Amino acid sequence: MDLPAQHRALEKELMAVFSHALGTASFIGGPQVQSFEEEFASFCGARHCVGVGSGTDALRFALLAAGVGPGDGVITVPMTFIATTEAISQVGARPIFVDVEESTSNMDPNRLEDLLGRIFGDRGFLCHSGSSWKPKAVVPVHLYGHPAHMDPILELAQRYELLVIEDACQAHGAEYLSGRIGNRSTWRKVGTMGAAAAFSFYPGKNLGACGEAGAVVTDDDEIARRVRMIRDHGQSQKYYHEMEGYNGRLDAIQAGILRIKLRHLPGWNQLRRDKAAVYNELLGSMDNCIVPGEAPYARCVYHLYVIRVARRDQLHAHLMRKGIGCGLHYPLPLHLQRAYKHLAHKEGDFPVAEKLAREVISLPFFPEITREQQQAVAEAVKEFLSGKV
Ligand SMILES: *Cc1c(COP(=O)(O)O)cnc(C)c1O
């Protein structure tokens, strides 16, 4: 991606944020943070946004505030960035994996139903052997900017009395066609369907700070109140601590930068959709290349443009040799990472995630990418796929 291109276009406005912060020496909290929180909540269509230090903080604090803790199981996918499961472990809970769907790389509601049926049994009794890790929550991830299939997930969560915390760190502004509200289907922004949602503003995300930042979004007054305390050492007022918390605040410079960039986010997301369509058109005709699809219930924001090919590692090497930067998101699913040895999974446990991890490659992609750049990338991909190299 080409972040400097984005920053050049906004340089004057961004520099004004830095000089204002230097001049007033207001770095932590304050009006910029409060305004950003109001603006991002309204962008999402949620009641509350609480700015925090990172997306990982947002996941941790949302889980804590929702009451997830030691002894709880939290169901999530193995095809995600490790921050999703780090947050689960770090609040004292344990990740329980469920496989993803091949078409979207997101949580598979059918497999979730099977898993819950096995854990709770037909009559709702807990019957799996590791019963000390009774599931308390589900964390769907809207991977690559494609919304997870929320309606069936929410339905199952309701049936089994589980909380839903969305990992929306890659999906600012993505929309899901939900039939759960009223009796009409409505497009809802991701982050407004679970009890709470986590967003990351890591520089490379669709909405990125110039440093670390994140936010919890929720309609729940109590969760919002608790996240506000947790991010600030458990303080309800200065030096009065209702609990132990964290140093996990959003700083004022990042909030000021995010306010400026938020105004451009809808336009950037539209550009991402347009440019994804350009790649689809350039690469979609190759029969040995699977381009990303959009489920009928989804309006994606293409955080990444990810294709799937059989000889992925060779294609990766070929593109890198040609000076075309690309990435693998992600090359090894979480259940096979050394960090999760103690969960005792083996190859074959989540075959779809494993297959995707072998086949995915993310092509150069950002709102400002030009047609010429996309054509050059597509040519290099085609050259490889047609066996010319
Ligand atoms: C980026 C990301 C996170 C973590 O966000 P940070 O701001 O880097 O802490 C969590 N989950 C997913 C899916 C992400 O892509």
Side-chain angles (χ1 to χ4, degrees):
M1 60 178 315
D2 188 1
L3 266 181
Q6 189 189 88
H7 292 152
R8 274 193 299 278
L10 302 174
E11 189 159 339
K12 272 214 185 95
E13 288 176 278
L14 295 179
M15 292 304 281
V17 171
F18 287 104
S19 27
H20 180 79
L22 289 176
T24 57
S26 65
F27 298 112
I28 309 292
Q32 289 282 48
V33 172
Q34 205 185 330
S35 299
F36 171 70
E37 290 178 341
E38 287 163 14
E39 289 159 12
F40 194 68
S42 128
F43 169 81
C44 293
R47 281 170 57 77
H48 305 280
C49 164
V50 186
V52 298
S54 67
T56 312
D57 271 355
L59 283 162
R60 266 197 294 256
F61 299 172
L63 289 165
L64 281 172
V68 176
D72 295 330
V74 177
I75 300 172
T76 193
V77 287
M79 191 61 175
T80 178
F81 182 53
I82 193 173
T84 314
T85 44
E86 280 176 330
I88 294 168
S89 305
Q90 288 165 5
V91 303
R94 183 179 180 118
I96 301 173
F97 292 117
V98 62
D99 211 349
V100 294
E101 306 174 302
E102 188 165 337
S103 57
T104 63
S105 309
N106 283 328
M107 183 176 287
D108 184 335
N110 294 315
R111 287 187 166 89
L112 177 64
E113 182 162 21
D114 289 349
L115 173 71
L116 290 169
R118 266 184 285 132
I119 293 177
F120 287 101
D122 290 340
R123 288 187 222 97
F125 297 128
L126 200 68
C127 63
H128 78 315
S129 49
S131 57
S132 55
W133 301 98
K134 183 181 174 201
K136 172 106 173 231
V138 184
V139 179
V141 181
H142 307 298
L143 200 71
Y144 311 147
H146 188 301
H149 199 354
M150 292 303 290
D151 278 358
I153 294 172
L154 291 165
E155 198 273 318
L156 287 166
Q158 197 169 35
R159 194 192 308 167
Y160 290 98
E161 296 178 358
L162 304 170
L163 286 157
V164 175
I165 308 287
E166 295 170 71
D167 182 339
C169 288
Q170 298 191 359
H172 320 67
E175 290 177 310
Y176 177 79
L177 188 61
S178 174
R180 282 177 64 84
I181 298 108
N183 42 22
R184 236 163 12 100
S185 292
T186 5
W187 287 99
R188 308 200 66 186
K189 289 252 176 36
V190 303
T192 60
M193 292 172 280
F199 285 89
S200 163
F201 307 120
Y202 179 80
K205 300 292 164 87
N206 289 32
L207 177 60
C210 295
E212 304 278 0
V216 174
V217 165
T218 180
D219 279 343
D220 186 312
D221 298 346
E222 184 54 20
I223 290 181
R225 187 185 73 85
R226 290 174 57 85
V227 173
R228 282 185 196 287
M229 286 196 295
I230 293 167
R231 73 169 171 185
D232 193 20
H233 300 288
Q235 292 185 122
S236 51
Q237 47 175 303
K238 203 154 180 74
Y239 303 128
Y240 290 85
H241 307 269
E242 289 197 25
M243 60 172 100
E244 284 186 344
Y246 291 82
N247 177 352
R249 296 166 299 234
L250 173 64
D251 77 63
I253 291 179
Q254 302 310 337
I257 284 162
L258 289 167
R259 291 185 68 199
I260 290 164
K261 290 199 180 186
L262 179 57
R263 291 181 218 130
H264 298 273
L265 181 61
W268 287 334
N269 280 344
Q270 186 56 50
L271 283 171
R272 286 176 185 271
R273 291 178 58 79
D274 296 346
K275 307 221 166 172
V278 170
Y279 265 145
N280 287 348
E281 167 204 314
L282 293 169
L283 295 166
S285 59
M286 304 293 289
D287 55 12
N288 47 359
C289 169
I290 302 175
V291 298
E294 193 172 47
Y297 54 75
R299 277 191 199 136
C300 306
V301 292
Y302 296 93
H303 169 54
L304 298 167
Y305 184 84
V306 180
I307 59 169
R308 288 167 50 202
V309 296
R311 292 163 53 234
R312 191 273 313 280
D313 290 337
Q314 290 91 327
L315 173 61
H316 187 217
H318 172 68
L319 294 176
M320 297 305 267
R321 254 196 317 275
K322 300 203 105 179
I324 296 174
C326 41
L328 306 180
H329 303 92
Y330 297 89
L332 186 64
L334 294 180
H335 67 286
L336 300 178
Q337 298 279 353
R338 209 179 300 159
Y340 293 111
K341 253 195 340 262
H342 58 283
L343 299 181
H345 285 298
K346 56 183 189 316
E347 228 173 303
D349 283 357
F350 304 103
V352 181
E354 291 166 24
K355 179 176 196 301
L356 293 173
R358 282 191 299 269
E359 297 181 351
V360 290
I361 177 164
S362 313
L363 300 182
F365 196 67
F366 47 95
E368 299 81 6
I369 194 169
T370 64
R371 185 171 257 277
E372 291 67 39
Q373 288 172 317
Q374 289 190 278
Q375 273 163 342
V377 174
E379 280 318 306
V381 172
K382 283 177 166 174
E383 179 183 42
F384 176 83
L385 291 178
S386 57
K388 291 199 193 112
V389 283

